[in-house]
Amino acid sequence: MAIKTIITEPNKILRQKSLPVKQVGVEEQRLMDDMLETMYDANGIGLAAIQIGVPKRIIVMDISKSGEKNNPMYFVNPLIKDKVDETSTYEEGCLSVPNFFAEVNRPKECHVEYLDYEGKKKKLKAEGLLATCIQHEMDHLEGILFIDYLSKLKKTMIVKKLSKQKNRPDRIIV
Ligand code: NI
């Protein structure tokens, strides 16, 4: 397993549409292992392959609470089959939009079909945090970031600040 660099906004790669996986093989499993390690290292609860520059429809998540046993989840080619009209609101962040958080409304419940780590077909009824997290990650597969749901003004401000952060020289502590 290896920790990969997480791509941050603004970057065109994040706007790419990810492609379906034909078969879950050793290469895909290795990618999922790397994604999980990268996500844990960054203290995230979800990561899409495109965030480490791989345009494949693969997501890893772990929404277990700190102190609880790890509960990694793997979603390959996820599809939302059904969702409710009722929404829930969470303050969302994203490993590709570091240090910014904003409230986003999303359907409170959704039914997802996907392939698991072994390539087996699975169905999941997601609610609450799980539903929000999977929808956030599935947006990444379409090149959508949570800041796209904010007002144009707010989004522009965030992207501007992120660009400035990027242009800073490397910080060294000696
Ligand atoms: Ni994200």
Side-chain angles (χ1 to χ4, degrees):
M1 290 209 272
I3 294 170
K4 303 286 185 184
T5 303
I6 297 173
I7 296 168
T8 56
E9 174 80 346
N11 190 313
K12 272 187 200 156
I13 294 170
L14 293 171
R15 298 308 183 170
Q16 233 175 288
K17 259 196 175 194
S18 296
L19 301 170
V21 172
K22 287 197 184 96
Q23 209 185 340
V24 182
V26 180
E27 198 188 315
E28 284 72 24
Q29 289 179 335
R30 192 179 301 140
L31 172 64
M32 288 190 260
D33 294 343
D34 287 347
M35 286 168 64
L36 197 73
E37 197 180 2
T38 303
M39 183 190 81
Y40 284 145
D41 178 67
N43 291 317
I45 58 170
L47 188 78
I50 193 66
Q51 292 179 274
I52 57 165
V54 182
K56 287 185 178 179
R57 301 185 81 82
I58 299 180
I59 291 165
V60 297
M61 280 171 34
D62 188 338
I63 59 163
S64 60
K65 296 192 184 78
S66 63
E68 277 179 11
K69 203 173 159 265
N70 284 351
N71 181 27
M73 290 187 274
Y74 307 92
F75 300 90
V76 179
N77 298 341
L79 279 176
I80 291 184
K81 301 305 270 186
D82 200 11
K83 57 187 171 193
V84 297
D85 292 332
E86 213 183 326
T87 60
S88 55
T89 309
Y90 280 91
E91 190 177 39
E92 295 187 20
C94 179
L95 294 174
S96 293
V97 188
N99 307 320
F100 288 95
F101 301 89
E103 287 188 357
V104 179
N105 301 319
R106 297 184 190 270
K108 202 177 179 170
E109 204 182 295
C110 60
H111 292 247
V112 186
E113 278 184 18
Y114 62 100
L115 302 176
D116 68 7
Y117 189 86
E118 312 294 336
K120 286 193 196 116
K121 265 195 181 179
K122 287 275 171 74
K123 279 183 193 173
L124 176 75
K125 182 185 160 196
E127 303 176 311
L129 176 62
L130 181 60
T132 286
C133 192
I134 195 149
Q135 290 174 76
H136 173 119
E137 297 311 325
M138 285 181 69
D139 273 352
H140 278 298
L141 307 183
E142 306 303 326
I144 299 167
L145 299 173
F146 81 95
I147 52 172
D148 298 347
Y149 297 110
L150 310 180
S151 69
K152 206 178 165 194
L153 190 74
K154 203 165 179 194
K155 184 181 161 182
T156 309
M157 188 266 300
I158 291 173
V159 175
K160 225 179 190 174
K161 283 191 178 167
L162 284 168
S163 309
K164 274 189 195 159
Q165 281 179 16
K166 271 192 181 175
N167 293 333
R168 276 189 207 153
D170 290 339
R171 174 184 286 173
I172 55 162
I173 301 168
V174 290

